[in-house]
Amino acid sequence: MAYLDAASTEPLHPAARDALLAAIDAGWADPARLYGTARRAQMLLERARAEVAELIGARPDEVSFTTSGTQAVHLGVLGTLAGRRRAGTRLVAGAVEHSSVLHAGALHERAGGEVELVGVSRTGRVDAGAFAEAVARPGTALACLQTANHEVGTLQPVEEAARACREAGVPLLVDAAQSAGRLPVPEGWSVLTASAHKWGGPAGVGVLAVRKGVRWRSPLPEDERERRRVPGFENVPAIVAAAAALRARAEEAEAEGRRLSALVDRIRAEVPRLVPDVEVVGDPAMRLPHIVTFSCLYVEGEALLTELDKSGFAVSSGSSCTASTLRPSHVLEAMGVLTHGNVRVSLPRGASEDDIDRFLAVLPDIVRRIRSSLGVH
């Protein structure tokens, strides 16, 4: 099986595996206690916190660990809105943000708040001018912008958005889930969220960083753990492994990013040449190094994914008729591109040229057979 779904989850990095096994033995105790084994766990936790903080450009006391990237986003969005209620109730976000941002926004709306979604170009990039105008409107409490889109890989204008937010006195939450460990973290964020399993750490660890001076109040019942931001017992071994993986990925990022980007360029060029009626979506240049997405006319996404799975390829889709949703991807809809027969190929660390050769060899016949079964020739 060629695993080509790293944007969903990256296989565990060897550095994470080694750190996890060591920390299971050394870091199992309650880090909030005072005896020796607990102090050892606390030391491991704080060392991991300092390492993650350094890699994302934060102070250790600004970083808390959550149970997932989604929880980090929920706490980041709702906590900042709660902390800034006197400033207003408006939330501004890009139209192609991760569903965790949109769901937090929907909850905010149900509580009487206002949400403004800023549109994107056909490549999936947020209009920086429109974002700045939205942020400058009175009563804006928070703005949210991802570093890069999780479905099509397009990089977002985070630094331009950060400047607009700074001028308007509005904090900017940056969701770095897809880029952390692959690209440098952009400057200018007020709140940052990320997810360890996206960079080769274990699942079950997210990162929530809140800059000093940002008003933030937990939307959950108070708990003593994680700077009073995240309730519940910390998974110290997993956090240690997450930090180890982030360090390893950051060290490999430049060379591996160049290699994967060349493979993605090949897919972007060859798929429309080999398969008729295909639209490759996302920005061809301002993009993550490992994601490429295309849509095939007259093909259902679920049928395409099933046939690729039978041929030995694990890929995903943002289109309708997949196992988890009955409606088209909000990202593809916002971009105004073809939503049917959508395939997202996202290359993990170490993806080989052979995998891509084989993928390009089998794809045309799979699409042809599906179209033929529907009477399309």
Side-chain angles (χ1 to χ4, degrees), residues 55-56 147 155 159 176 179-187 250 253-254:
L55 290 163
I56 65 172
T147 52
L155 299 179
E159 293 188 0
S179 66
R182 291 186 169 91
L183 295 174
V185 173
E187 298 287 330
E254 192 173 344

Side-chain angles (χ1 to χ4, degrees), residues 86-344:
R86 289 184 181 178
T89 60
R90 293 188 73 250
L91 169 66
V92 172
V96 296
E97 294 298 304
H98 189 267
S99 59
S100 57
V101 172
L102 303 183
H103 291 157
L107 186 64
H108 177 59
E109 277 187 311
R110 290 197 293 273
E114 181 186 346
V115 177
E116 180 175 352
L117 297 182
V118 179
V120 297
S121 68
R122 197 169 173 85
T123 64
R125 188 170 167 89
V126 165
D127 184 320
F131 197 89
E133 287 178 17
V135 164
R137 292 190 183 105
T140 303
L142 176 65
C144 299
L145 189 62
Q146 59 191 186
T147 52
N149 186 259
H150 49 292
E151 287 189 27
V152 300
T154 298
L155 299 179
Q156 300 296 350
V158 173
E159 293 188 0
E160 296 98 306
R163 280 196 296 272
C165 287
R166 194 161 50 245
E167 288 170 10
V170 172
L172 176 65
L173 183 150
V174 171
D175 173 12
Q178 283 299 338
S179 66
R182 291 186 169 91
L183 295 174
V185 173
E187 298 287 330
W189 56 268
S190 306
V191 180
L192 185 87
T193 62
S195 182
H197 73 96
K198 304 288 189 182
W199 68 63
V205 179
V207 174
L208 171 65
V210 181
R211 290 280 192 216
K212 287 290 177 189
V214 174
R215 291 186 177 276
W216 186 93
R217 192 169 76 216
S218 178
L220 301 176
E222 189 169 291
D223 190 83
E224 302 299 315
R225 307 267 174 175
E226 287 305 292
R227 309 297 194 268
R228 299 179 184 270
R229 292 191 193 119
V230 188
F233 194 99
E234 300 93 341
N235 185 345
V236 175
I239 289 168
V240 168
L246 184 59
R247 170 70 68 187
R249 286 307 296 267
E251 289 170 353
E252 301 165 353
E254 192 173 344
E256 183 67 353
R258 275 197 309 272
R259 195 183 71 81
L260 295 181
S261 190
L263 295 176
V264 163
D265 280 340
R266 186 154 169 247
I267 297 170
R268 291 186 68 92
E270 288 295 298
V271 167
R273 189 181 70 80
L274 296 168
V275 183
D277 298 316
V278 162
E279 182 177 16
V280 180
V281 299
D283 198 288
M286 290 187 294
R287 61 170 179 78
L288 289 168
H290 67 300
I291 294 179
V292 55
T293 300
F294 56 88
S295 299
C296 303
L297 199 60
Y298 316 122
V299 175
E300 290 295 342
E302 187 174 28
L304 191 46
L305 264 57
T306 299
E307 290 304 312
L308 283 166
D309 181 41
K310 290 177 185 175
S311 297
F313 295 95
V315 297
S316 66
S317 172
S319 70
S320 58
C321 301
T322 58
S324 59
T325 179
L326 294 176
R327 56 160 303 192
S329 149
H330 72 277
V331 171
L332 301 177
E333 283 190 323
M335 291 167 63
V337 298
L338 187 64
T339 60
H340 273 78
N342 179 260
V343 174
R344 180 186 68 184

